[in-house]
Amino acid sequence: FSCCHTTVILCENSRLGLAQQSPNYERISNTSRNKMKSYVSSWGKLALLYIVLNVDIQKTQALYHGVLTKGPSAFILPNKKRCPDLNLLLGQELFSTSQKNYKNIQSCLWSAPTAGSNANVATIVYPFIETELRGAAMKLHTRSQAPKEGKVEDKKPDGPRYVPTHDDYLSFLVDSKHVYEAFEEAVKSDSHPELTAFQDTKLERTKGLEEDIQFLVKEYNLIRPEVGLVGKQYSEEVRRIIKEKDTVPQFMCHFYNFYFAHTAGGRMIGKKMAQLLLDKKILEFYKWDGDLDVIKHDVKTNIEALAVSWSKEEKAQCVDTTAAAFRFGGALNSYFSGRNSIK
């Protein structure tokens, strides 16, 4: 792909011939390739085909996010001879088409062929999440929460264990919905097009939460409370972060911890509350439309793709936000212990 090959690679047959010789050709399914091609114009197709089929996957992800976040000048063909004119032309086309079709293109670039299989999804490694983000989170878990990896000693109860009421649970659900709304608004921010990949992931909880709130109010003759202090504070924090410049790593730490904590410990809370308060009824808050393992895989893959484009400082910024994410999330859970404040 040096400058002298520019004319040749513009031909569809030649391009596909070169693609089929690539060692990475089989990484992308025919369906994904066809979808991807339908989202971009001819120059964009060329750029995407090149980076997908001929470049190491992590370099591909970094290059793609670099173009989207830093502009066309970030596109550089990885060859020995620099082709500044061709680079800029490809970068401009990729940038303009990516902004309009970011989520569609990203789903093609990073959809693993194993996504339909629970067994295979379970074996996939997510380097940044599993090593750095999860490592920081485990340090903040108590030994009872994570017996093998928890680092925090459990606090001894001051007195009799608090028994949550229907009103406590309702307040928790109302506050949770308010925070999830803030996250769902944030990923639609025009200032951060790289977050469009986190829209409509099927991890969204607001619809189910509203159904659950109405159910509790009607079934147990409760009065729907206003959003509490903890719900307001966390939602305000999410909105503050997304409005500031260069804060996507911080936001993603909150996003990852808030959504994925609910798929783990949150489900355990749901089962306990169902037994204690709801005659074993599992609320919609704890149900997902589709296979949860596959949904989580898709979101983790997008987080990894985004993290590849970050500098070491940005990755550190994300990891260092873990304590704050735990503090805000823990404040919501404090409704179950009779306390509801952020400390």
Side-chain angles (χ1 to χ4, degrees), residues 215-272:
F215 166 76
L216 261 67
V217 168
K218 182 178 180 180
E219 185 72 14
Y220 298 99
N221 195 28
L222 304 175
I223 297 174
R224 181 171 183 156
E226 296 292 328
V227 178
L229 178 62
V230 293
K232 289 179 179 178
Q233 287 180 326
Y234 200 0
S235 62
E236 288 171 1
E237 175 68 3
V238 171
R239 293 187 173 99
R240 178 196 68 78
I241 291 172
I242 210 64
K243 285 180 180 179
E244 294 187 0
K245 187 179 179 181
D246 300 326
T247 53
V248 168
Q250 288 183 41
F251 172 80
M252 288 311 305
C253 181
H254 282 280
F255 181 95
Y256 167 75
N257 280 290
F258 195 64
Y259 278 90
F260 281 83
H262 180 62
T263 67
R267 296 165 73 189
M268 295 173 62
I269 292 174
K271 289 181 181 179
K272 289 181 179 180

Side-chain angles (χ1 to χ4, degrees), residues 44-318:
K45 291 176 190 175
L46 173 60
L48 286 168
L49 281 171
Y50 179 82
I51 62 177
V52 170
L53 300 174
N54 295 278
V55 185
D56 174 82
I57 190 64
Q58 288 197 340
K59 291 180 180 178
T60 299
Q61 294 165 346
L63 180 62
Y64 182 66
H65 283 286
V67 169
L68 190 69
T69 58
K70 299 176 183 178
S73 61
F75 187 91
I76 299 176
L77 290 173
N79 55 1
K80 296 180 180 179
K81 295 182 179 180
R82 295 181 62 81
C83 308
D85 294 338
L86 180 58
N87 283 336
L88 183 58
L89 188 56
L90 290 173
Q92 288 172 337
E93 188 61 35
L94 183 57
F95 181 71
S96 62
T97 55
S98 295
Q99 283 193 308
K100 295 179 181 178
N101 300 288
Y102 181 90
K103 186 173 182 180
N104 293 327
I105 296 170
Q106 176 137 317
S107 68
C108 293
L109 292 180
W110 287 285
S111 289
T114 56
S117 167
N118 286 344
N120 289 332
V121 168
T123 63
I124 293 173
V125 176
Y126 309 95
F128 178 68
I129 292 173
E130 296 296 340
T131 57
E132 299 186 57
L133 265 187
R134 189 173 181 278
M138 285 299 104
K139 291 179 181 179
L140 298 174
H141 279 76
T142 63
R143 298 192 185 281
S144 61
Q145 292 172 328
K148 295 182 178 180
E149 300 175 273
K151 304 296 182 182
V152 180
E153 294 290 341
D154 290 284
K155 293 182 179 180
K156 295 181 179 180
D158 298 331
R161 185 179 295 275
Y162 181 79
V163 179
T165 66
H166 287 97
D167 284 309
D168 291 327
Y169 200 16
L170 181 59
S171 294
F172 166 75
L173 296 176
V174 168
D175 277 25
S176 294
K177 179 175 181 285
H178 194 63
V179 177
Y180 277 108
E181 286 173 340
F183 277 106
E184 291 179 23
E185 291 172 12
V187 297
K188 297 177 182 178
S189 170
D190 292 336
S191 302
H192 301 288
E194 66 267 42
L195 295 181
T196 58
F198 302 99
Q199 296 176 19
D200 303 322
T201 63
K202 295 186 179 180
L203 282 182
E204 291 79 18
R205 300 290 83 202
T206 53
K207 182 179 178 181
L209 276 165
E210 181 58 31
E211 292 180 19
D212 293 337
I213 291 168
Q214 292 184 22
F215 166 76
L216 261 67
V217 168
K218 182 178 180 180
E219 185 72 14
Y220 298 99
N221 195 28
L222 304 175
I223 297 174
R224 181 171 183 156
E226 296 292 328
V227 178
L229 178 62
V230 293
K232 289 179 179 178
Q233 287 180 326
Y234 200 0
S235 62
E236 288 171 1
E237 175 68 3
V238 171
R239 293 187 173 99
R240 178 196 68 78
I241 291 172
I242 210 64
K243 285 180 180 179
E244 294 187 0
K245 187 179 179 181
D246 300 326
T247 53
V248 168
Q250 288 183 41
F251 172 80
M252 288 311 305
C253 181
H254 282 280
F255 181 95
Y256 167 75
N257 280 290
F258 195 64
Y259 278 90
F260 281 83
H262 180 62
T263 67
R267 296 165 73 189
M268 295 173 62
I269 292 174
K271 289 181 181 179
K272 289 181 179 180
M273 292 302 104
Q275 294 176 344
L276 179 66
L277 300 172
L278 307 180
D279 194 25
K280 298 184 178 181
K281 174 181 171 61
I282 300 296
L283 297 182
E284 296 302 310
F285 187 28
Y286 308 98
K287 300 176 184 178
W288 285 264
D289 183 16
D291 188 313
L292 182 56
D293 284 337
V294 174
I295 294 171
K296 287 163 61 179
H297 156 73
D298 290 341
V299 175
K300 285 182 177 181
T301 301
N302 285 333
I303 293 174
E304 288 290 338
L306 183 59
V308 167
S309 68
W310 292 343
S311 65
K312 290 182 179 180
E313 291 75 18
E314 288 172 321
K315 288 182 179 180
Q317 184 185 59
C318 179

